Amino acid sequence: MNEKVAKLINQQINKEFYSAYLYLEFSNYYGAVGLDGFENWYKIQAQEERDHAMLFYQYLQNNEVKITLEAIDKPDCSLTDNMAPLKAGLKHEKYVTELINNIYAAAYEIHDFRTMQLLDWFVKEQGEEEKNASDLITKMELFGTDAKGLYMLNSELKARVYTAPSLVL
Ligand code: MG
């Protein structure tokens, strides 16, 4: 595999684990304030991010690339109120979309069609992640300021169950 593409994917493993860590911090915040639905939502989100990391990990393994596991940064966020994680989440997903696009551009440049095909799934996934994050903000703005609305929204998020990623390597 091309050295630059392999390096970017190796970095992405770390970024996805960081995403998991960030969302676990959000889950931690909501757990502490008693919003167990939001806590559940982000705990599952963290699980998905670990899956993303492992998909990239497995892809490099399958292509006989030596993987380097770097240190995972401490979650960089200040969670001042119940809206803060939602906004930080959307900002983070936009950043991750950029990272995926960067890897895609590198793969495209050297006609690495196999990696482009892998990344097609992630490009679509990022579209969904950004939409979910944005929808959550909208719902919070609409209903979150009222105690009953917040209770209902919390109940909705509590119903989320984990499903494994649709991509199989
Ligand atoms: Mg991800």
Side-chain angles (χ1 to χ4, degrees), residues 16 19 48-49 52 93 96 122 126 129:
E16 299 291 345
S19 297
E48 276 196 1
E49 299 304 343
H52 294 165
E93 286 305 331
V96 174
F122 281 94
Q126 280 313 117
E129 298 282 36

Side-chain angles (χ1 to χ4, degrees), residues 1-160:
M1 189 185 285
N2 172 270
E3 208 175 308
K4 186 186 172 190
V5 173
K7 196 179 167 200
L8 287 172
I9 295 175
N10 197 128
Q11 282 171 3
Q12 194 61 28
I13 294 172
N14 185 275
K15 300 287 185 183
E16 299 291 345
F17 276 122
Y18 174 78
S19 297
Y21 222 38
L22 183 68
Y23 291 144
L24 195 58
E25 180 73 322
F26 293 177
S27 185
N28 178 30
Y29 166 85
Y30 285 122
V33 297
L35 288 168
D36 56 356
F38 287 77
E39 178 189 16
N40 173 59
W41 176 275
Y42 279 112
K43 202 176 275 178
I44 291 171
Q45 198 62 34
Q47 211 164 342
E48 276 196 1
E49 299 304 343
R50 287 197 296 276
D51 289 339
H52 294 165
M54 291 310 294
L55 285 167
F56 284 120
Y57 174 91
Q58 193 58 51
Y59 182 71
L60 290 187
Q61 283 275 17
N62 291 355
N63 287 278
E64 292 171 343
V65 174
K66 168 119 175 47
I67 298 162
T68 308
L69 296 174
E70 301 289 355
I72 300 163
D73 288 342
K74 190 178 169 180
D76 175 24
C77 55
S78 75
L79 306 177
T80 47
D81 57 35
N82 296 338
M83 180 61 101
L86 308 182
K87 295 238 163 116
L90 178 59
K91 191 173 165 223
H92 183 69
E93 286 305 331
K94 285 182 174 171
Y95 166 64
V96 174
T97 298
E98 266 178 52
L99 296 174
I100 297 291
N101 287 349
N102 283 343
I103 308 172
Y104 206 112
Y108 178 82
E109 208 178 320
I110 56 139
H111 292 183
D112 180 352
F113 300 116
R114 187 186 295 161
T115 297
M116 284 160 66
Q117 196 171 46
L118 169 84
L119 292 173
D120 281 335
W121 185 88
F122 281 94
V123 169
K124 189 160 176 274
E125 174 73 10
Q126 280 313 117
E128 287 169 18
E129 298 282 36
E130 282 188 36
K131 186 185 184 312
N132 287 339
S134 175
D135 286 354
L136 265 183
I137 292 170
T138 304
K139 284 183 183 175
M140 191 66 158
E141 279 167 353
L142 283 171
F143 314 119
T145 45
D146 169 81
K148 281 181 191 159
L150 184 61
Y151 180 82
M152 295 297 286
L153 188 52
N154 185 66
S155 302
E156 184 191 323
L157 298 182
K158 202 172 176 181
R160 183 183 186 186

